[in-house]
Amino acid sequence: MARKSKKQSKTSYTFPSLHQDVSEAVSSDISKIWFNKQGDGARREYTTHVMGKFKCSNGGCSNHGWGSKKVAILIKGFPGNGYNAVVFNQRCRDCDRLGVLALDETSYVERVSYRLKKWAGIEMEEQYFSRRAGPPHESEFCEGCKAGYCREGGM
C-alpha cells in the first residue's frame, strides 16, 4: 500500500502515522518503541533506501510520474528505543520541481523495524537486496544526495 504525502511538496517527510505498523513489526522482540517527532538528540543514524512513486507537483509539466527503488531514508535512534525516520523527496527530471511522494509503506516498515532490532541487539540474518538492472541513480534530482544522506550519492 502506498501512502501519499498530504502536505505540499517539500524536500523531506516523516511518517509518524506508520509508527503503529513499525511497533507491531518489532513487538515480538522489543516491548516498546516511540517516535521522536522533533528528531533532535539522536545517538545513532543509518541511511538506506525505501521505495516509492512520485508525481510532478507542476501541473503544467508533461512528466506524469516516476517510480524509484532508491528513495533515500535517514533512520535516527534515540535512547529508550526511540526513533525517527526522514524520507527524502525527489525532483522531476523534466522541470526540476519537487515531486509528490506516494511511499511504499511495506518497504518503510521493513527497513525501519530491521534497523531498530539491530540497534536493540536482536540477532538477525543480514538483509541483502539484490541490485536489479535499472536506470542509474540521478543524484541531481535526489534530495537525499543533496542533504548528504543517500548511499547512492557518495555521502
Side-chain angles (χ1 to χ4, degrees), residues 7-142:
K7 298 178 184 172
Q8 65 182 4
S9 293
K10 52 187 184 175
T11 58
S12 64
Y13 301 95
T14 60
F15 292 89
S17 59
L18 292 176
H19 172 68
Q20 184 62 39
D21 295 329
V22 172
S23 184
E24 289 171 10
V26 302
S27 65
S28 63
D29 298 304
I30 305 172
S31 60
K32 185 173 180 170
I33 62 171
W34 57 279
F35 187 86
N36 184 323
K37 291 182 182 176
Q38 274 68 46
D40 299 329
R43 292 205 177 151
R44 299 175 183 215
E45 290 186 348
Y46 187 81
T47 58
T48 187
H49 294 103
V50 292
M51 296 182 287
K53 293 181 181 178
F54 297 87
K55 181 179 177 186
C56 184
S57 61
N58 177 0
C61 182
S62 62
N63 188 341
H64 297 291
W66 64 97
S68 178
K69 294 183 181 184
K70 298 286 184 182
V71 180
I73 180 173
L74 170 64
I75 305 168
K76 297 178 182 181
F78 299 88
N81 295 322
Y83 76 97
N84 177 289
V86 178
V87 180
F88 293 91
N89 205 348
Q90 293 182 2
R91 291 186 174 270
C92 175
R93 70 162 41 153
D94 292 348
C95 72
D96 201 40
R97 292 271 294 271
L98 286 168
V100 177
L101 170 64
L103 178 69
D104 179 302
E105 294 177 8
T106 301
S107 67
Y108 174 94
V109 171
E110 286 174 355
R111 293 304 188 332
V112 173
S113 62
Y114 177 83
R115 185 52 37 198
L116 292 175
K117 288 178 183 182
K118 289 290 279 186
W119 285 340
I122 308 301
E123 292 288 324
M124 299 182 333
E125 254 183 66
E126 281 290 321
Q127 287 185 328
Y128 293 101
F129 301 100
S130 62
R131 288 200 176 267
R132 294 186 181 151
H137 184 69
E138 298 179 79
S139 298
E140 65 270 25
F141 302 116
C142 174

